[in-house]
Amino acid sequence: FDLVYLIKGGGDYRSKLKNTLVESLKLSDPDRHLEARGGIHLAELPSAGAELVRAVSVRTVRDGITADGLSRDETIKPVSRPFLFERPEKPLDYHYNADNSFTFESGRLPKNAWSHMLANETYGYLATDAGTGHMWHLNARENKINRWLNDSLTTDGTERLKVSYHEMSASLFAAPDGCQCDVTYGFGWAQWVKQIDGAVFRTTAFVPRDISGRVFIIESENEAFFDVTYYTDLVLSPDEQNSVYVETSRLPGVLSARNQYNRDFPDTVFYLTASSPETSFTCSKSSFDTGCFDQKTGVGFIPCAAAVYKTRGSLVIVTGCDELDKLRMLANVDTARLKLRETSDWWRAVTSKLT
């Protein structure tokens, strides 16, 4: 927790109150705790930051009397759930392919998550069979994009990708839902081929070599329209407790997020964009949990990036922390396929020396 003093300084940098507080704190506490994470802070009133402090405070103290903090409309709910065993009894089949990629045909899921690392020098994504992975920018520990779940049994993670087709809605990843899903891990890419209500959906993920982002290419040979729902929670800091400081906003076709509390990486801005415009969205986790895409953005609540896209044939979804123009370019179907081929060829050239 942080302790924040909201003081009226009168605009004078020689404020008696502020100077007295600073001197008292130096006597009772090492100077290094001032303005440090988990330390003591002084904020002038009135200021834009003061209202933010009030909004996210767990407790406030006025004139020596403890008052309850402002009520919140959201709480962090656990996403890990018991492993479901209602699934086909077909045994797990796995094999290597001619290009040294590895495929497992999950009529049933492995007992523990099988994962694959996709990364370049600045951006990383941990792909798992059930899509429960994790993203980061520049530093996997100190600059998480979404929460890291150290849970190899969960099938419902920090990121979700679902398709609604005809009367059925299902994860595009492997899941205990009775739908056949073949998962392939190649050098530089991962792919899920899911059979849903008679249609086949192919989802390919990769991280380009030269862009701080991750790409999903979703393809279906069926000509019918389908809806894709994308969701990720947002942290943008070392610890999920700091997610309440994430500020979200929307530009045409783009959701963005930044956590100014992350002082080690204050310039990190997360973007979500796609090859088709979203039909609905929300940046509130509690709204998403109740199925409400209310277009909510801002700060002071548990954040997420969630959007619904209507498309047919192909859809590209890009998440990343690079220049927005680069990410928008990458959200083009033809560009994404070209970048996938370049990424696959580069990794094949590197790993062929070993294999």
Side-chain angles (χ1 to χ4, degrees):
F1 289 95
D2 291 271
L3 175 63
V4 181
Y5 286 93
L6 301 177
I7 59 177
K8 294 181 179 179
D12 186 354
Y13 75 94
R14 292 186 176 182
S15 164
K16 280 188 176 182
L17 177 57
K18 182 175 182 179
N19 291 341
T20 300
L21 277 172
V22 169
E23 293 304 319
S24 299
L25 291 171
K26 285 182 177 180
L27 291 174
S28 60
D29 213 18
D31 187 41
R32 61 187 174 86
H33 287 293
L34 285 172
E35 306 300 331
R37 180 184 294 147
I40 301 172
H41 310 265
L42 305 178
E44 298 281 355
L45 282 176
S47 70
E51 291 305 316
L52 175 61
V53 169
R54 286 195 181 100
V56 301
S57 294
V58 174
R59 180 164 296 180
T60 59
V61 179
R62 298 185 182 93
D63 298 327
I65 301 175
T66 301
D68 292 333
L70 297 177
S71 60
R72 297 181 181 176
D73 61 352
E74 305 198 26
T75 56
I76 297 178
K77 299 177 182 178
V79 300
S80 182
R81 58 181 170 83
F83 200 81
L84 301 178
F85 290 94
E86 294 82 4
R87 70 190 71 141
E89 293 300 324
K90 179 182 175 182
L92 184 66
D93 182 23
Y94 53 90
H95 59 270
Y96 282 94
N97 304 303
D99 61 354
N100 287 325
S101 62
F102 177 79
T103 296
F104 51 103
E105 302 171 356
S106 57
R108 62 188 304 272
L109 288 168
K111 293 182 179 180
N112 289 277
W114 287 6
S115 61
H116 184 34
M117 188 73 70
L118 306 176
N120 58 27
E121 293 181 354
T122 59
Y123 202 87
Y125 168 55
L126 180 61
T128 69
D129 47 18
T132 57
H134 165 61
M135 293 183 290
W136 66 91
H137 180 227
L138 297 175
N139 189 304
R141 169 64 184 87
E142 298 297 320
N143 202 27
K144 302 179 180 75
I145 300 299
N146 50 14
R147 289 180 302 132
W148 158 244
L149 294 182
N150 188 22
D151 186 349
S152 64
L153 297 180
T154 184
T155 58
D156 197 1
T158 58
E159 194 172 31
R160 300 169 206 174
L161 191 62
K162 292 187 176 182
V163 63
S164 296
Y165 176 73
H166 288 169
E167 299 299 321
M168 187 171 183
S169 179
S171 171
L172 285 169
F173 302 118
D177 54 14
C179 297
Q180 176 72 26
C181 184
D182 299 342
V183 184
T184 301
Y185 293 153
F187 292 111
W189 55 275
Q191 186 175 88
W192 299 259
V193 180
K194 189 83 174 265
Q195 299 179 31
I196 302 172
D197 196 19
V200 176
F201 294 88
R202 180 180 292 101
T203 303
T204 306
F206 70 99
V207 173
R209 289 185 53 224
D210 56 348
I211 297 178
S212 295
R214 192 275 320 277
V215 181
F216 282 138
I217 303 176
I218 304 164
E219 300 169 291
S220 174
E221 296 179 358
N222 196 303
E223 291 299 318
F225 279 95
F226 56 91
D227 290 329
V228 173
T229 301
Y230 173 82
Y231 163 88
T232 183
D233 62 30
L234 295 171
V235 176
L236 298 171
S237 66
D239 303 306
E240 66 180 81
Q241 291 88 344
N242 297 332
S243 65
V244 72
Y245 299 103
V246 171
E247 182 174 6
T248 56
S249 61
R250 180 184 179 270
L251 297 170
V254 179
L255 297 180
S256 68
R258 167 181 280 176
N259 192 336
Q260 295 184 352
Y261 193 77
N262 188 352
R263 296 174 181 171
D264 293 328
F265 300 93
D267 297 326
T268 291
V269 180
F270 171 83
Y271 296 105
L272 165 65
T273 188
S275 57
S276 296
E278 76 276 5
T279 58
S280 57
F281 74 91
T282 186
C283 292
S284 163
K285 184 178 184 297
S286 68
S287 297
F288 175 82
D289 286 343
T290 58
C292 180
F293 289 82
D294 53 8
Q295 303 183 25
K296 185 174 182 178
T297 61
V299 69
F301 50 86
I302 306 302
C304 72
V308 179
Y309 306 94
K310 179 177 285 292
T311 188
R312 65 178 176 182
S314 301
L315 174 70
V316 176
I317 298 177
V318 177
T319 56
C321 299
D322 214 313
E323 298 173 12
L324 182 53
D325 287 344
K326 290 184 178 180
L327 299 176
R328 278 177 162 157
M329 176 192 66
L330 195 55
N332 175 274
V333 174
D334 292 334
T335 302
R337 287 171 176 164
L338 176 61
K339 280 292 185 181
L340 171 60
R341 188 159 53 249
E342 290 177 356
T343 302
S344 177
D345 289 346
W346 187 85
W347 279 105
R348 186 181 297 112
V350 171
T351 57
S352 63
K353 300 174 183 178
L354 304 175
T355 59

